[in-house]
Amino acid sequence: MPELPEVETIRLGLQRLIVGKTVAQVHNYNSPKSFPNADGDVAQFLLGATITNVRRRAKVLLIELSTDYTLMVHLKMTGQIVYVGGTSHQASFRGRGKNSEFTSLSSGGVSPSLRWGGGHPNDSLIGHLPDNTTREHLEFSDGSRLYFNDLRKFGWMKLLPTLAVPEIDFMKRVGPEPLETDFTGDVLFERLQRRKNTTIKAAILDQSVLAGVGNIYADESLWAAKIHPKTLVKDIPKSKIQNLTSAIRSVLKLSIEKGGSTDKNYVDAEGKKGSYLQFANVFRLDGQPCPRCGTTIEKIRVAGRGTHICPTCQKIVVN
DNA sequence: CACTTGACCTGTCCGC
DNA sequence: TGCGGACAGGTCAAGT
């Protein structure tokens, strides 16, 4: 699920919702890849800590604490971070919808109808929490809560010293942020030199080449730049990489504007779905006409991932 | 080192 | 309706 725009959307929500709050309780359910229990170091550096900032690097969420520790969260495929505000009355969480304390349902933020979500546009993907997908859950001193849900248990939440964050392997390896102003075609071209003999799709999914692109935005960007995803990196002229760079940036920006993509699981920090997929041109649109030329969109497999292309707009170039 | 594949998990969907 | 297999947005370890 969450690629850069989804994680950024969550970050923006959390920045508004939890900065300044103090952690009063930590609950751990079944999260084999996360910190084990609300005891020991976790309790020492998490309990009583105040949230000072919420940052993002690539697809990783960095919740900074007054204890100079950072809560790192990776949502992987099905993770969710959901804030539930307000009272600490247990009864508030019973029943789906009408008594809900979810900010998304009480603040009038109604998602537009969704192509993929199914059901009524007001439906939340979230029932009362914690539920059977909840892996961690923080309770703040004002009674509001932050839930980490993850159906498939690929995701994790870890606590480590803020100064140690840049030292972990992933952070050292990860490539540039594509929405930074200094991310130019020249930069991407240079980064791609490490993956010259693989397909362009595999290359842009590689987080060491650039940060934050996943399957949805890879397909959308390659369609926008008119590049076949199976094209080998070495066969793509620099001018095309310039186009791809612009495409990646505009696709990611549009998705952030739309609150990200909700296929099945993704919701923002307030439980709301994102609507980007309504604006997608190829992703999951196999069988439908290409918006640019009308050719039927196909689904193929590239780099082990389902991949959507317009066979007319996107041709494999061979040198 | 560069590259590909399978594993991690659980749920859903599709065909028989 | 039930069952088996393929598949799902991400990364990592292990293989070639």
Side-chain angles (χ1 to χ4, degrees):
Chain A
M1 112 324 113
E3 306 180 28
L4 185 153
E6 291 74 31
V7 180
E8 180 63 13
T9 300
I10 293 169
R11 187 192 74 76
L12 290 166
L14 292 180
Q15 185 79 47
R16 186 161 44 79
L17 295 165
I18 67 167
V19 169
K21 304 221 175 195
T22 299
V23 179
Q25 286 183 59
V26 181
H27 304 265
N28 173 282
Y29 302 84
N30 176 10
S31 187
K33 292 163 190 165
S34 300
F35 49 70
N37 287 301
D39 56 21
D41 284 353
V42 171
Q44 184 180 346
F45 296 107
L46 200 48
L47 294 180
T50 298
I51 312 289
T52 55
N53 196 10
V54 184
R55 301 194 301 124
R56 177 191 61 73
R57 177 77 171 99
K59 302 171 189 172
V60 179
L61 206 52
L62 300 165
I63 301 173
E64 296 181 344
L65 305 168
S66 58
T67 48
D68 292 329
Y69 269 63
T70 291
L71 202 48
M72 286 183 72
V73 187
H74 202 308
L75 300 171
K76 295 287 179 85
M77 301 282 258
T78 55
Q80 304 173 325
I81 292 285
V82 180
Y83 173 84
V84 179
T87 74
S88 56
H89 299 305
Q90 202 58 26
S92 304
F93 301 96
R94 299 191 196 286
R96 202 182 153 123
K98 64 179 176 185
N99 275 337
S100 172
E101 295 286 328
F102 298 118
T103 329
S104 58
L105 301 179
S106 58
S107 66
V110 175
S111 308
S113 67
L114 295 165
R115 202 202 303 251
W116 304 114
H120 190 277
N122 285 345
D123 278 356
S124 175
L125 289 169
I126 307 290
H128 64 276
L129 296 174
D131 65 17
N132 60 328
T133 71
T134 301
R135 306 300 167 208
E136 310 285 346
H137 140 209
L138 306 187
E139 183 164 340
F140 298 113
S141 54
D142 65 356
S144 60
R145 292 147 190 196
L146 194 67
Y147 292 92
F148 168 45
N149 304 325
D150 185 19
L151 176 67
R152 286 172 76 178
K153 302 180 189 173
F154 288 177
W156 44 257
M157 187 178 256
K158 294 180 193 299
L159 188 66
L160 70 167
T162 299
L163 287 175
V165 170
E167 301 308 316
I168 71 167
D169 285 347
F170 179 88
M171 290 297 175
K172 282 198 281 197
R173 248 195 358 256
V174 70
E177 288 289 329
L179 294 182
E180 293 291 308
T181 48
D182 57 1
F183 184 75
T184 61
D186 287 349
V187 170
L188 181 56
F189 187 83
E190 197 280 320
R191 303 290 299 181
L192 283 168
Q193 297 311 299
R194 68 183 62 205
R195 303 299 305 271
K196 286 176 78 155
N197 291 306
T198 191
T199 62
I200 185 65
K201 176 154 178 178
I204 62 174
L205 288 173
D206 180 343
Q207 300 297 294
S208 76
V209 171
L210 79 161
V213 173
N215 207 35
I216 296 175
Y217 305 108
D219 282 6
E220 290 297 316
S221 302
L222 289 166
W223 177 86
K226 301 187 184 178
I227 299 170
H228 193 292
K230 280 187 174 169
T231 314
L232 296 182
V233 171
K234 64 181 177 197
D235 291 333
I236 304 178
K238 195 166 184 178
S239 63
K240 278 277 195 184
I241 297 300
Q242 299 281 0
N243 297 344
L244 179 59
T245 304
S246 312
I248 290 169
R249 288 168 61 92
S250 50
V251 162
L252 295 176
K253 278 184 199 163
L254 176 62
S255 184
I256 293 170
E257 276 175 35
K258 302 303 175 189
S261 297
T262 295
D263 170 6
K264 295 185 174 67
N265 271 274
Y266 168 73
V267 289
D268 70 11
E270 301 169 275
K272 281 185 287 193
K273 298 171 181 178
S275 67
Y276 173 79
L277 288 181
Q278 292 183 321
F279 302 86
N281 290 298
V282 284
F283 187 78
R284 294 267 175 97
L285 293 173
D286 36 310
Q288 300 196 215
C290 168
R292 202 161 41 203
C293 76
T295 306
T296 302
I297 293 165
E298 292 176 1
K299 182 171 181 183
I300 59 176
R301 191 155 275 270
V302 184
R305 318 294 302 276
T307 298
H308 310 80
I309 59 159
C310 168
T312 300
C313 295
Q314 296 168 272
K315 299 283 192 198
I316 303 183
V317 182
V318 181
N319 276 344

